[in-house]
Amino acid sequence: MPGKKGLSPALILLAITFLVYGNSLLGGFVHDDKPLVAQNLLIRDPGNLGRIFASGYWTTRDRSVPELYRPLVVASFAMNHLFGGLRPFGYHLANLLLQAWVCWLVYRVALAFGGPPSAAWAAALLFAIHPVHSEAVAPVVGRSELLGAGFALAALLLHRRALSEPPGAAALVPAAAACFFAALLSKENALVLPGLMLLADAGFPPRAGGARRLKAYASYAATAALYLAARVAVLGALARSDIRTLDNPLAGAGFVTSRLTALITTGKYLGLLLWPFHLSADYSRDQIPLTTGILDPRLVASLAILSAAAVLAVLAWSRFRLVAVALLWWAAALLPVSNLPFLIGTIFGERLLYLPSVGFCLLGGALFSRLHRRKGRLALLLGTALLLAFAARTAARNRVWHDDASFALATARDAPRSAKAQFNLGVFLEEHADLRGAEAAYRRAESLARDWADPPYNRGGVLLRLGRAAEAIAEYRRAVALSGELRFALNLGYALDRAGRHAEAVELYRQRIRSTGEAAALYNNLGASLLAMSRAGEAAEAYRKALSLDPANASYHANLALASEAAGDLATAEAELRIALAASPNSPPLLRSLGLLLARTGRREEAAQRLRRADSLIAGGLDPEARAVLDELSN
């Protein structure tokens, strides 16, 4: 790696990175940043480092989640937390520093591939300001792309030095293998790196002979095997990630349809690199519709542009090798995330272009250099205009990840056909008390994905809060019909109770118990419906059944106390209230209930003590009924 010679480019690229991405430093934790960083208990204790490397990427609490394996990324979050807690600034600062590092590595790769300084500068600058990279740099969770690409490029440069310098430089191979391993622990698509190394060696043959090359590649193969073994040990399989058709509709399509659609998205990736002025954080169903067949205009256009790129790569191989290698780099690096060889968790994502775009930027650098040699002023004029336009677009795009409001509104606007984007907007609006806006967003999501239960379920909750119980019940019924999740049935029953249709709620709970088996929550809600019908004895039995399934639940003890008191069993009511209070000793409702019960049974002193305690804990004091009892006890 370079010493003083690379200092000036590194500083310049660092400055440009901060100019373009500086507005992201004041952003918060948005979208996936919330669970993976802000709410991730694993990163808060340095002693969890071993567990981080023994857990799946989405493990954020005590329960292990065997999905994806990117421990180095999570460890970097833990390092951020160690020095700056949960202040977002430090996490964003780390991303900017990593982006500057990768830009410098792109510069070094261009030089290592024989490009002149003008080509290296153009490639690095294009990489630094390309708008498609905003999704990898502005949100904190984009760090997996930054670390994966950074360590992969570092490994490539070390590999090239190991094979291009005297035999003593072969000691750099272990360093290259270590960087390769770090890249794999950051993002699984780094497995393509040996292929990129082979491409580089074929395009720009190193000095080393076949034996040295063979040993180098054997070490990379061993590194990949070690990583795959670790992945299987942690996840239980090479790949453990559920593919939801909502995120990747190709999973629900046939083989031919899915691969033809993947060809469309491959062409779209190249199109975004060429014209990155309509960007989106969401491309889920149906933002990119499935192909209608081989005559689909999108497929024809994609095949045309991809064929042209392939022809250019073949023609350039003998006369303009850097152009050919750059095009082939883009294709090879994109292949693992293209859904062509196998399906991944998403149909399309701008962040997935981060490593493949190195090839595109090398291509841009090579073309700029050639134009600069022939028409220097024109090249500088066009290059400057392009850099300014891209930099402005990137700076504007970064604001999408500034806060939850910016993200939700921009994504719903940019992806109008995505049910997921409209649903997420509804969640944001509901959380911020805009119930009418949330209801409209959930309605749009429901119209876009009729087979998805979450939009009608959430819309039902909003309608209930708006006082539109009949519509809420209809929405909850739709959600129950689409999904067997317990929460849907529970909320349907709750809505029926709110509408005074207690008998229907009772029948719903009993039918659910018969069809899917016993659940404590079902018996608890059944008890509430029975109690509303003044069937206190049956309600008490339902609550006892709930407690037999979940004996530590303080709420169930409190509910049994309520039903027992209504049934005239005051001894049981008192015993259950005391059990509930033992679990929640400062609960005002429990203190109030026990105080009133004790007053009813003539234990005035303890009753007054409980009511006074409740009065001190309730903002605004006791309700009129309890206040009257306390006043009487105090006289």
Side-chain angles (χ1 to χ4, degrees):
M1 308 295 281
K4 293 182 179 179
K5 197 174 181 180
L7 182 62
S8 179
L11 288 177
I12 292 171
L13 291 168
L14 178 65
I16 290 173
T17 297
F18 273 77
L19 281 173
V20 175
Y21 287 99
N23 60 344
S24 70
L25 288 171
L26 299 180
F29 293 125
V30 177
H31 197 48
D32 285 345
D33 292 349
K34 298 284 185 68
L36 285 169
V37 182
Q39 300 160 9
N40 192 342
L41 300 183
L42 225 59
I43 71 172
R44 301 185 186 184
D45 182 356
N48 283 333
L49 187 61
R51 190 168 168 228
I52 287 172
F53 279 83
S55 302
Y57 183 55
W58 284 95
T59 300
T60 60
R61 281 170 167 70
D62 293 334
R63 187 177 68 87
S64 179
V65 180
E67 185 175 353
L68 301 178
Y69 185 57
R70 301 171 184 173
L72 201 59
V73 178
V74 183
S76 76
F77 295 154
M79 185 67 70
N80 265 126
H81 189 276
L82 180 64
F83 289 104
L86 287 176
R87 292 185 291 276
F89 179 86
Y91 297 82
H92 289 295
L93 176 61
N95 274 24
L96 264 64
L97 293 173
L98 288 170
Q99 163 69 357
W101 174 53
V102 179
C103 293
W104 177 72
L105 291 171
V106 171
Y107 173 83
R108 297 302 305 170
V109 167
L111 293 177
F113 285 179
S118 59
W121 273 112
L125 289 172
L126 180 57
F127 192 90
I129 54 86
H130 202 292
V132 82
H133 295 156
S134 180
E135 191 176 53
V137 182
V140 175
V141 293
R143 191 171 300 179
S144 60
E145 307 293 342
L146 303 173
L147 287 173
F151 281 116
L153 294 178
L156 174 65
L157 288 169
L158 288 165
H159 165 79
R160 296 290 298 175
R161 282 192 60 186
L163 298 186
S164 298
E165 296 184 6
L172 293 174
V173 169
C179 285
F180 178 34
F181 194 58
L184 291 169
L185 295 179
S186 302
K187 188 76 187 287
E188 47 282 339
N189 67 336
L191 273 170
V192 76
L193 179 61
L196 298 177
M197 290 175 169
L198 283 168
L199 171 63
D201 289 348
F204 311 102
R207 298 175 185 172
R212 278 175 62 188
R213 292 191 202 181
L214 187 60
K215 288 180 181 179
Y217 282 104
S219 70
Y220 307 144
T223 300
L226 177 62
Y227 162 74
L228 293 174
R231 187 181 177 92
V232 170
V234 172
L235 303 183
L238 281 178
R240 285 289 295 272
S241 181
D242 293 332
I243 301 177
R244 300 193 309 163
T245 56
L246 184 68
D247 296 316
N248 189 351
L250 302 186
F255 180 85
V256 173
T257 298
S258 66
R259 270 43 182 197
L260 290 180
T261 306
L263 284 171
I264 290 174
T265 60
T266 301
K268 184 176 178 65
Y269 276 126
L270 187 53
L272 271 188
L273 287 170
L274 292 167
W275 187 256
F277 290 95
H278 180 77
L279 302 173
S280 174
D282 190 304
Y283 290 92
S284 58
R285 199 187 75 185
D286 288 304
Q287 189 58 28
I288 301 179
L290 297 176
T291 181
T292 58
I294 58 174
L295 297 181
D296 188 321
R298 297 170 302 150
L299 178 60
V300 173
S302 291
L303 289 174
I305 192 172
L306 294 174
S307 298
V311 170
L312 178 59
V314 171
L315 295 177
W317 186 263
S318 59
R319 298 182 57 191
F320 204 176
R321 188 66 56 87
L322 182 56
V323 167
V325 169
L327 285 167
L328 293 172
W329 175 297
W330 175 82
L334 186 66
L335 189 63
V337 295
S338 66
N339 284 296
L340 285 169
F342 49 80
L343 299 184
I344 62 172
T346 183
I347 186 174
F348 192 92
E350 291 162 15
R351 64 192 178 278
L352 304 180
L353 270 174
Y354 195 73
L355 181 60
S357 71
V358 172
F360 177 82
C361 293
L362 291 174
L363 173 63
L367 296 177
F368 171 83
S369 177
R370 188 158 198 175
L371 180 61
H372 185 260
R373 285 199 304 270
R374 296 181 176 182
K375 297 185 178 181
R377 288 185 179 180
L378 177 62
L380 289 174
L381 180 63
L382 292 176
T384 300
L386 180 68
L387 291 177
L388 289 175
F390 276 19
R393 182 68 183 104
T394 301
R397 185 66 189 160
N398 295 337
R399 292 198 291 270
V400 169
W401 284 275
H402 184 269
D403 52 38
D404 290 334
S406 300
F407 181 82
L409 293 168
T411 305
R413 179 199 66 221
D414 296 333
R417 295 192 300 272
S418 167
K420 187 177 177 182
Q422 306 309 314
F423 178 81
N424 288 340
L425 175 61
V427 171
F428 168 78
L429 294 173
E430 184 178 0
E431 289 175 347
H432 290 78
D434 183 356
L435 297 185
R436 296 190 184 281
E439 187 272 330
Y442 290 140
R443 187 169 5 104
R444 288 195 300 273
E446 187 176 351
S447 69
L448 291 165
R450 290 291 183 183
D451 57 343
W452 186 22
D454 283 13
Y457 172 71
N458 279 32
R459 185 172 177 232
V462 169
L463 289 169
L464 202 60
R465 292 167 65 185
L466 288 171
R468 296 156 61 180
E471 294 175 78
I473 289 169
E475 290 299 293
Y476 280 135
R477 287 196 189 281
R478 187 172 291 111
V480 168
L482 289 169
S483 172
E485 285 190 54
L486 177 61
R487 62 190 174 110
F488 297 153
L490 293 173
N491 279 278
L492 171 58
Y494 175 73
L496 289 167
D497 276 331
R498 282 280 299 272
R501 295 157 62 175
H502 307 301
E504 290 181 60
V506 168
E507 179 55 31
L508 169 72
Y509 295 134
R510 285 180 169 163
Q511 191 278 331
R512 177 80 184 202
I513 290 168
R514 289 192 298 270
S515 63
T516 64
E518 298 179 333
L522 284 171
Y523 280 110
N524 180 65
N525 281 26
L526 174 61
S529 299
L530 290 167
L531 192 58
M533 298 173 71
S534 300
R535 294 158 63 177
E538 293 177 74
E541 285 304 311
Y543 287 133
R544 287 191 180 94
K545 189 65 177 176
L547 279 167
S548 71
L549 296 169
D550 187 3
N553 193 306
S555 296
Y556 296 172
H557 284 288
N559 291 341
L560 176 55
L562 184 65
S564 298
E565 184 176 3
D569 186 356
L570 301 187
T572 297
E574 180 184 342
E576 292 299 321
L577 280 172
R578 291 188 185 279
I579 293 172
L581 266 170
S584 303
N586 292 317
S587 168
L590 292 176
L591 289 165
R592 175 193 178 279
S593 295
L594 182 57
L596 292 177
L597 181 60
L598 291 169
R600 183 177 174 187
T601 57
R603 282 167 284 178
R604 298 172 60 88
E605 184 176 344
E606 186 183 357
Q609 177 189 356
R610 300 287 185 175
L611 288 172
R612 288 192 193 98
R613 178 62 177 156
D615 188 42
S616 69
L617 293 170
I618 298 174
L622 289 168
D623 60 278
E625 178 190 357
R627 169 61 61 188
V629 173
L630 178 58
D631 289 344
E632 192 221 331
L633 292 171
S634 300
N635 291 333

